Amino acid sequence: MKQSRIALLLLIVGLIALSFSFDLQHYLTLESLKSQQAAIADYRQNYPLPAIALYAALYIAVTALSLPGAVILTLAGGAVFGVLWGTLIVSFASSIGATLAFLAARFLFRDWVKSRFSARLQAIDEGVNREGAFYLFTLRLVPLFPFFMINLAMGLTPIKTRTFYWVSQIGMLAGTVVYVNAGTQLAKLDSLSGILSPALLGSFALLGVFPLGAKKMLEFIQKRKVYARWTKPARFDNNLVVIGAGAGGLVSAYIAAAVKAKVTLIEKHKMGGDCLNTGCVPSKALIRSAKLLSHIKRAKEFGIAKAEADFDFATVMERVQQVIKAVEPHDSIERYTELGVEVIQGTAKIVSPWEVEVRTADGSKTITSRAIVIAAGARPFVPPIPGIEQISYLTSDTVWNLREKPNRLLVLGGGPIGCELTQTFNRLGSQVTQVEMAPRIMVREDPEVSDLVQARFQAEGVDVRVNHTAKEFIVENGENILLTEFQGQTVRIAFDQVLIAIGRAANVQGYGVGELGITLSPRNTIDANAFQQTNYPNIFAVGDVAGPYQFTHTAAHQAWYAAVNALFGQFKKFRTDYSVIPWSTFTDPEVARVGLNEQDAQAQGVAYEVSTYGIDDLDRAIADGEAHGFVKVLTQPGKDKILGVTIVGEHAGDLTAEFVLAMKHGIGLNKILGTIHIYPTLAEANKYAAGVWKRNHAPKAFLEWVGRYHAWRRNG
């Protein structure tokens, strides 16, 4: 804890101790107030301004220090200053004192609580950000909740100070008036219990519930308002219509069919979406061929004197298509038809919240449905770089059409797609230059991860250009050139073909999103809430078109929630769980992560400890000739609770699964350490990383005592 926090804590503790040592609480009782009422009234009559100042300062001090006595002081305000002035003074003094207590709790404990309970606190923080003012107003109105506890508890949330102040002042006003008014009849009061009757308590409770009820009613009215210009069908053809047959759409349709709902899946292009046809499957197939070539080049490392590979680039690319065809049956029309899904190959357009128009080669028809799931995916983002229109550029969608190997390939982008294809084409024999405007490639990972991958790229002959900003494409004497800016200078990079790999843009046009007025997010994705709903509660969005993650597995994950909420949301809705999201970049070395890495933890202010195990020390990795990389685990300080894991090395994505399971089900490093792992396997690296944590938290004093015990045993 910082010195300033320690000083404030000592000051608060000292003042509280002082109040009790001088028995100041004796003066804050009903009997003491009644006995001193006349004297206090005389002082107020003779010295009105000092009386107000002293009373307000005392009230602020009592509430700021969370001392008992605020009720008595409120009664005193009515007895001494009357209803009007008493209410005014108490209202401001109590609000100021409460805000000081709120700020003290935030300053002293917010970071500590956040560092230790970040996962649990995240959901609370999100709720406070959405409805914090309403909840605080309810708490202030209902006198069942202790005044000081509300001040301290709200200090641990992200609610804004000014919001806390004005909501507190308004929320406490009704109670203040009641107690101040009671204070004007102080002589007739025998106990504090006589102030609040059961009827008055009930009225406060109803008043407290009213804001939240009103908010929910307002939400209901707003939801109905979006449907105002549409006529709802009397009956529906379907329970669900799904637009797009990528991962999100396929899973949504499958779940609906599994629970016997009538569902139609519409796809205008190819079943399986980007992942099967232009993304995950073809890229991994090409990576595998390229990796084989890299192993052949390393033949001497494995005791093979000489090994060569004769290959045809076009044949390698044809193998990619063969792999796609081998996987296609998993996502085929035939399979989903057998599962009970009506599959239509055509173009969909949402024409009302319950109607989808489908155009096929045979004509068009309109399907009515209670709910709609949008799973329209995304496309490669092509930046508006001057001159790009005169370049025949490639993207992650079109690169698979290549049958002639590019001699000089320029890859624009240092993210996962750019890095995977950079290394792959380099291994296939292209001279590859990778351009990234950031200071390093794979910028979302920790710096040492980027360094390892970049070092491997450069060792294999890739020309990696970081801190280079693409400014313009030009053609000179038939040669393609990219002009980049590096450290204020213009750098020219010649190339034969360029691959644009700097991100993906959601498909939000062409199927009725704009016409319906479906809300888009600042990222130009469909804005979906925690239940995957759009601003039309019966229209859902999943996958790349909604974000925030653009992974096949997260699209499938979101699809479960969308389908269940669409079909059964009238009974119970489920919030999409993003607490444990893994991903992997299939470079060599492979990079996989789940949860926080160091740069994310630092950005979010989350305290952590690091345990790192170097895979270069792992027996199986040494035997395989893959002794490189590491397993890095972030844990809560002093505990084995896993906050995040980064693995760099062979089969990193596969190794991460153990940690994904552990984080999902609250399993700590101690239990991973206590689990048998087969020898010799790469999976042992996970156990050894847990062992690093254990050694760092060994009970040194106890072990020293045990050592002395064993020495004593040897001597006698």
Side-chain angles (χ1 to χ4, degrees):
M1 186 178 286
K2 295 181 179 179
Q3 290 185 350
S4 56
R5 292 178 180 173
I6 295 174
L8 178 60
L9 184 60
L10 290 175
L11 176 63
I12 292 173
V13 171
L15 291 173
I16 293 173
L18 191 66
S19 71
F20 282 102
S21 64
F22 284 95
D23 196 21
L24 297 181
Q25 303 308 306
H26 171 74
Y27 299 99
L28 297 177
T29 63
L30 185 61
E31 293 76 14
S32 176
L33 178 60
K34 291 174 70 173
S35 65
Q36 298 293 326
Q37 182 178 3
I40 296 172
D42 287 342
Y43 182 83
R44 184 258 179 186
Q45 186 70 30
N46 296 323
Y47 307 101
L49 293 179
I52 293 173
L54 287 171
Y55 172 75
L58 178 61
Y59 204 116
I60 291 170
V62 167
T63 52
L65 295 173
S66 301
L67 295 172
V71 172
I72 299 300
L73 283 174
T74 306
L75 293 173
V80 176
F81 301 103
V83 174
L84 179 60
W85 280 101
T87 299
L88 188 65
I89 298 168
V90 170
S91 178
F92 280 95
S94 61
S95 300
I96 293 170
T99 304
L100 290 175
F102 161 88
L103 290 172
R106 172 168 291 179
F107 180 71
L108 291 172
F109 304 116
R110 168 70 179 173
D111 291 344
W112 180 85
V113 171
K114 185 177 180 181
S115 68
R116 283 156 179 78
F117 306 101
S118 57
R120 296 179 185 177
L121 202 62
Q122 184 177 1
I124 296 173
D125 287 352
E126 289 174 357
V128 169
N129 285 330
R130 288 194 307 270
E131 300 178 335
F134 288 93
Y135 282 117
L136 176 59
F137 193 51
T138 298
L139 294 173
R140 289 304 194 195
L141 280 168
V142 180
L144 300 176
F145 304 102
F147 179 86
F148 75 95
M149 286 185 62
I150 298 171
N151 302 336
L152 301 180
M154 295 305 292
L156 304 180
T157 73
I159 190 170
K160 295 180 180 179
T161 303
R162 62 176 179 271
T163 302
F164 176 85
Y165 178 86
W166 71 258
V167 172
S168 293
Q169 187 156 26
I170 296 172
M172 293 187 295
L173 188 59
T176 298
V177 171
V178 170
Y179 278 94
V180 169
N181 182 64
T184 62
Q185 307 296 318
L186 187 62
K188 299 178 182 179
L189 283 177
D190 295 321
S191 70
L192 298 179
S193 61
I195 299 174
L196 293 178
S197 65
L200 191 56
L201 277 172
S203 299
F204 274 150
L206 288 174
L207 192 59
V209 172
F210 174 76
L212 283 175
K215 185 175 186 295
K216 297 299 181 185
M217 180 60 71
L218 183 61
E219 289 177 353
F220 175 78
I221 293 172
Q222 289 174 339
K223 288 177 181 178
R224 300 298 297 178
K225 187 177 180 180
V226 301
Y227 294 118
R229 62 191 179 104
W230 309 103
T231 301
K232 187 175 182 179
R235 62 177 305 279
F236 300 91
D237 302 320
N238 278 38
N239 300 102
L240 189 66
V241 168
V242 181
I243 299 174
L250 291 171
V251 173
S252 297
Y254 171 77
I255 291 171
V259 296
K260 307 304 179 184
K262 186 175 182 184
V263 54
T264 298
L265 175 63
I266 305 167
E267 172 56 57
K268 70 176 182 179
H269 188 44
K270 294 181 179 180
M271 294 288 288
D274 295 333
C275 182
L276 172 61
N277 298 288
T278 60
C280 315
V281 173
S283 65
K284 302 314 162 282
L286 191 61
I287 286 170
R288 183 65 187 91
S289 296
K291 189 165 188 175
L292 175 60
L293 292 174
S294 76
H295 283 170
I296 292 172
K297 288 182 179 179
R298 296 169 53 198
K300 289 184 178 180
E301 296 179 28
F302 301 98
I304 310 299
K306 185 178 181 181
E308 295 180 351
D310 184 18
F311 73 96
D312 176 64
F313 180 80
T315 304
V316 172
M317 297 302 285
E318 283 300 327
R319 176 188 175 269
V320 171
Q321 298 304 315
Q322 291 169 12
V323 171
I324 293 172
K325 286 182 172 60
V327 178
E328 273 180 355
H330 304 164
D331 300 340
S332 66
I333 293 175
E334 293 76 16
R335 181 183 182 224
Y336 277 81
T337 300
E338 288 177 3
L339 291 171
V341 178
E342 179 190 23
V343 182
I344 299 177
Q345 286 193 296
T347 302
K349 183 175 183 180
I350 307 172
V351 294
S352 88
W354 304 279
E355 296 173 304
V356 178
E357 181 183 85
V358 187
R359 294 184 180 274
T360 67
D362 299 326
S364 65
K365 68 174 182 176
T366 299
I367 303 171
T368 58
S369 179
R370 277 199 170 274
I372 300 168
V373 171
I374 299 172
R379 65 191 184 281
F381 172 70
V382 179
I385 301 172
I388 196 170
E389 68 281 351
Q390 61 182 319
I391 303 295
S392 181
Y393 57 84
L394 301 167
T395 69
S396 58
D397 279 0
T398 61
V399 70
W400 313 110
N401 298 326
L402 284 176
R403 293 299 179 269
E404 183 177 342
K405 180 182 66 180
N407 290 323
R408 296 177 300 173
L409 178 66
L410 172 65
V411 178
L412 202 58
I417 296 174
C419 284
E420 288 181 359
L421 293 178
T422 287
Q423 187 176 45
T424 298
F425 273 91
N426 179 73
R427 288 177 165 183
L428 289 169
S430 295
Q431 180 184 334
V432 181
T433 301
Q434 184 180 27
V435 172
E436 169 56 53
M437 65 183 296
R440 54 190 175 88
I441 59 174
M442 299 182 69
V443 72
R444 292 184 178 180
E445 307 299 337
D446 284 335
E448 66 268 33
V449 176
S450 302
D451 293 343
L452 275 174
V453 175
Q454 182 169 327
R456 174 64 72 87
F457 282 12
Q458 292 171 332
E460 293 184 357
V462 176
D463 183 4
V464 181
R465 305 285 189 97
V466 294
N467 287 313
H468 282 62
T469 302
K471 306 300 288 187
E472 185 180 2
F473 286 103
I474 61 173
V475 179
E476 286 187 354
N477 301 320
E479 184 176 54
N480 299 322
I481 298 173
L482 172 66
L483 302 181
T484 67
E485 182 180 332
F486 174 67
Q487 297 181 348
Q489 302 295 318
T490 297
V491 177
R492 298 162 62 93
I493 302 174
F495 63 92
D496 296 317
Q497 289 186 286
V498 59
L499 171 65
I500 307 295
I502 60 171
R504 296 178 65 79
N507 293 322
V508 295
Q509 295 180 343
Y511 55 95
V513 169
E515 291 85 343
L516 252 71
I518 294 175
T519 304
L520 301 181
S521 74
R523 304 184 310 275
N524 206 42
T525 58
I526 291 180
D527 192 14
N529 65 13
F531 307 104
Q532 301 303 138
Q533 293 172 298
T534 67
N535 54 314
Y536 288 90
N538 72 309
I539 301 179
F540 298 76
V542 300
D544 291 1
V545 77
Y549 301 97
Q550 291 187 330
F551 305 125
T552 298
H553 47 280
T554 51
H557 180 68
Q558 291 173 331
W560 184 92
Y561 291 92
V564 171
N565 290 334
L567 298 170
F568 304 107
Q570 65 271 30
F571 303 112
K572 180 176 174 57
K573 292 191 296 185
F574 297 87
R575 292 179 181 272
T576 307
D577 179 11
Y578 294 116
S579 60
V580 183
I581 301 294
W583 63 85
S584 184
T585 302
F586 296 92
T587 50
D588 187 1
E590 200 166 295
V591 177
R593 177 149 71 95
V594 58
L596 296 175
N597 61 8
E598 287 197 75
Q599 65 182 16
D600 287 348
Q602 291 167 6
Q604 296 175 28
V606 177
Y608 65 90
E609 293 176 346
V610 178
S611 301
T612 303
Y613 172 74
I615 296 177
D616 58 328
D617 194 46
L618 184 66
D619 293 0
R620 180 55 185 269
I622 294 170
D624 287 349
E626 302 293 349
H628 55 261
F630 56 81
V631 178
K632 181 166 68 170
V633 185
L634 272 61
T635 51
Q636 286 187 356
K639 298 182 179 180
D640 71 337
K641 180 179 174 62
I642 303 168
L643 300 176
V645 179
T646 299
I647 302 179
V648 181
E650 191 77 355
H651 294 294
D654 298 329
L655 297 180
T656 307
E658 183 172 16
F659 290 111
V660 175
L661 178 71
M663 293 179 66
K664 177 67 177 177
H665 297 286
I667 299 171
L669 290 181
N670 274 315
K671 290 187 177 179
I672 291 177
L673 182 61
T675 300
I676 297 175
H677 291 64
I678 296 172
Y679 179 87
T681 60
L682 295 174
E684 285 187 294
N686 295 346
K687 180 176 181 177
Y688 293 148
V692 171
W693 178 89
K694 192 69 172 180
R695 286 195 299 276
N696 292 339
H697 293 82
K700 295 180 180 179
F702 175 72
L703 290 177
E704 289 177 3
W705 183 88
V706 172
R708 289 195 295 270
Y709 166 75
H710 288 307
W712 171 76
R713 291 276 289 173
R714 291 193 300 271
N715 292 329

